[in-house]
Structures are given as C-alpha cells and as structure tokens.
Amino acid sequence: MKPRNLTIDTLRLLAALEVVILHVHFDHLPDLVAIALRLQARWAVPFFMIVGGYYLARRLAEPDRSDARPWIYRMMWIFGLWTLIYVPLVLIEHGPKEVFRRLLFSTFIYTGTYFHLWFPSSLALGALVLLFCFHYKLGRLLPFVSLAIMVHILLAGSYDIFGIKFPFEFETARHWVSVPLLYLGFWLFRRGPLRPPLAFLLLVGGLALQAAEAYYLLTRFQVPAYDHEILIGTFPFALGAASLGLSGMRLLELPVLSNWGREYSLGIYLLHAWVFFAIEKSTAPLGREVIQSPLWEIGYPFLILLACIALLAVLRKWTPGFFNWLLGSYL
C-alpha cells in the first residue's frame, strides 16, 4: 500500500478552512479585504472534487478495489443522512413550512435541506456520469461534455450578462460541476501530477485571473465582486493546488495538520453550519462591540474550524462507530 500523502491531507484541512471562510459574512471589514478573502477561498470545493477524482481513478486502477460503488454509496448516504441532520436547524430558522418545501420540491436533489449539501450529491452524480461514459466507451466525449458544463455554469452564474436563457439556472448547473472536476482528477492520475513550476503557475495565474474577472465584471457590468462562486480562473486555481498537493511538498508535510485533514476535513464541511449556529447563539451575550468587530470576523473562521475539530475528535475517540456512521466510513 502506498504511504499517505501528508501534503494533500494538510491541504484538505486548509480547504476546509476556506469553505468556512466562504460562509462567513465579513460585514465589518473593508470591502476590498472581504472580496479578496472570498476570491482566494474559491479553490476549495473544486480542489476537493479534483482530488476526489484522482483517488477514485486510483481506486479503479487497483484490481482488488476496482469497484466505485462503495464510494458512490458513501456520497449518497452522507447526502441523505445530513439532509435529516439539518432538518431541526431549518425548522428553528424558518419553520415547518420551509422544511416541507425543501424536502418535497424538485430542487431537493441539488441542495437537500441545507445549502452546502449540494457537494456530496454532486459528487455522486459526477461519478455516475464518468463511470457511465467509461463503461460504454464514451470517454472521448468527456472533454467536450466537461467544457460544455463549465461554459454553462459560467454563463448561468458570474457571466450572466448577455441575456442568454438556459434550461438550468445557476444552482442546477453548478450541480454538474463535479463532472469536469472529477474528470480533471482522472486526467491527473493518468498523466501524473503536473510539474511543480507549472502547477504553481496555474495556482497563481488562476487567482490573478479571478481578481481580473471580478474587477472587469464589476466595472463593466456592475456585477458585485463579493458574490462570485465560480469564475474562469477558479478551474486553473484549483487544478494547480491539487497538482501541487499530489506532487508532495515538504513544507506542507505537517503530521498534526495532515492528520486533522485526513480525519476531519469532510466532517468539518458537513458539520460547520451547525457549529455556526451554535456559536452565534452562545456568543450573542458578548455584545455587538465584540461580535461585529473586524478582529472578531478575522478570527471567526478559525474558531469555527477548531470547534468542529474538537467536536469531531471527541466523537471519534468516545463513539468511533457513531463517528464512522456520520461520515459513511463503514461503507
């Protein structure tokens, strides 16, 4: 068995922090700082998907593990289970009518009961599409399908500036983003990670391209720079980060952080919205002077991250069966 890649596990933890940053409202920081924080964090979810595609491809290449069904079942289990786990939070925040709306409307498959649960659902869909194409010898179509999906997502989202009517709105189109991103992971596995200089160039260039796009769309079309989810630069940004991680970097081979990333990054993603709610309620008595200060907002994502890790570590130590059940690790 190949040794664990400590670099990729450390980057998993960093990506989990970036997801938390994306869901914090930086209302009391300068606008430019808040926009920069959000744009630099946009690599996180695509990174998870690219890396997931890489390791799924490696799994399929091993004769004794060449069955993707447990991986897909795990994503489906996580989506279904955590959809139920978030029902009480939706009930508290919005009432029973909204719970039934989210459970019964056709959009359920895209987000479940809470906004961030689109991720495991999208991964399951993307894996099914890729495996279908590979099984029926349609793999050569995947680059074209992937490009079409990325263009659709961009034109339905940040580049919805041309008045083009698509059959899918952004939230629906975004659900298909796992197809090109998982495919990029398969591609990285087959050719090997990009050379570090090229990967670093993609990372830096993708980040710079995102900033340029946000500035152009703001000044030319008045599209708020704070609201972007996926830009053109997001794809090379995430590909560069994933390739650097898969190549291995001694600087990021940090045993404690990599262990946290390996054990808890998925749990952080799934749990953090509940932790947000709990901390907001428990810190309300501190007063507006504290919780609405720039210093609090800067430290808030780290507080959320550490709280998630602490809770998950307690569950892993004292109720390992329940911990594995929550993350579908038994499948």
Side-chain angles (χ1 to χ4, degrees):
M1 181 180 290
K2 296 182 179 180
R4 291 286 307 194
N5 183 328
L6 298 184
T7 302
I8 210 72
D9 287 334
T10 300
L11 285 177
R12 282 190 174 110
L13 181 66
L14 178 58
L17 173 62
E18 299 281 38
V19 169
V20 175
I21 288 173
L22 288 172
H23 297 152
V24 171
H25 296 289
F26 298 105
D27 297 326
H28 301 91
L29 294 179
D31 289 346
L32 190 60
V33 174
I35 291 167
L37 284 171
R38 289 179 69 82
L39 287 178
Q40 66 80 33
R42 283 298 171 194
W43 65 279
V45 173
F47 164 85
F48 279 127
M49 290 185 169
I50 293 171
V51 171
Y54 179 92
Y55 283 107
L56 180 59
R58 192 170 86 170
R59 178 191 184 102
L60 294 174
E62 298 175 2
D64 58 336
R65 300 176 70 233
S66 59
D67 185 356
R69 286 176 297 180
W71 192 88
I72 296 172
Y73 294 158
R74 184 185 184 191
M75 293 301 108
M76 295 172 67
W77 166 264
I78 288 171
F79 175 72
L81 174 62
W82 284 86
T83 283
L84 296 177
I85 288 173
Y86 274 96
V87 164
L89 185 53
V90 179
L91 188 63
I92 294 169
E93 292 181 333
H94 304 287
K97 184 177 179 180
E98 181 64 14
V99 171
F100 286 109
R101 189 193 70 80
R102 296 189 185 188
L103 287 173
L104 300 178
F105 275 35
S106 59
T107 53
F108 168 78
I109 192 64
Y110 301 120
T111 57
T113 52
Y114 224 73
F115 65 91
H116 67 306
L117 296 179
W118 73 274
F119 174 69
S121 176
S122 178
L123 280 177
L125 171 68
L128 287 170
V129 171
L130 262 64
L131 294 174
F132 176 87
C133 290
F134 292 141
H135 180 77
Y136 289 102
K137 314 300 181 185
L138 299 173
R140 291 183 179 181
L141 295 178
L142 281 171
F144 306 101
V145 172
S146 296
L147 180 61
I149 289 172
M150 289 190 289
V151 169
H152 189 169
I153 290 169
L154 290 167
L155 292 178
S158 292
Y159 285 87
D160 184 18
I161 54 179
F162 304 110
I164 301 174
K165 298 299 180 182
F166 286 97
F168 300 135
E169 59 184 8
F170 175 74
E171 285 74 16
T172 306
R174 181 189 62 178
H175 199 253
W176 292 85
V177 75
S178 59
V179 174
L181 292 174
L182 287 173
Y183 179 69
L184 280 175
F186 272 71
W187 176 75
L188 279 180
F189 175 77
R190 289 171 176 173
R191 74 163 312 277
L194 304 174
R195 292 178 179 271
L198 177 56
F200 185 75
L201 181 63
L202 284 174
L203 186 152
V204 175
L207 177 58
L209 180 56
Q210 282 190 152
E213 290 176 83
Y215 178 78
Y216 172 75
L217 290 168
L218 174 64
T219 56
R220 181 68 176 83
F221 298 99
Q222 291 74 53
V223 178
Y226 191 81
D227 295 339
H228 296 296
E229 290 195 34
I230 298 174
L231 292 158
I232 296 171
T234 306
F235 296 102
F237 188 7
L239 178 60
S243 198
L244 281 174
L246 292 168
S247 298
M249 297 175 61
R250 289 188 178 275
L251 182 65
L252 295 176
E253 292 180 351
L254 306 170
V256 173
L257 297 184
S258 65
N259 181 63
W260 286 353
R262 179 178 66 250
E263 299 294 342
Y264 306 131
S265 58
L266 177 59
I268 293 165
Y269 182 94
L270 295 169
L271 181 63
H272 76 276
W274 258 116
V275 174
F276 264 118
F277 174 79
I279 290 181
E280 284 183 358
K281 291 297 183 183
S282 61
T283 56
L286 294 177
R288 291 184 178 181
E289 295 79 8
V290 174
I291 62 178
Q292 293 184 359
S293 68
L295 184 60
W296 173 266
E297 288 189 347
I298 291 172
Y300 195 39
F302 296 93
L303 176 61
I304 297 294
L305 180 78
L306 292 175
C308 287
I309 291 172
L311 180 55
L312 291 166
V314 168
L315 291 175
R316 181 168 173 255
K317 180 176 181 179
W318 297 105
T319 58
F322 182 62
F323 175 83
N324 291 331
W325 183 76
L326 285 175
L327 300 184
S329 301
Y330 68 93
L331 294 173

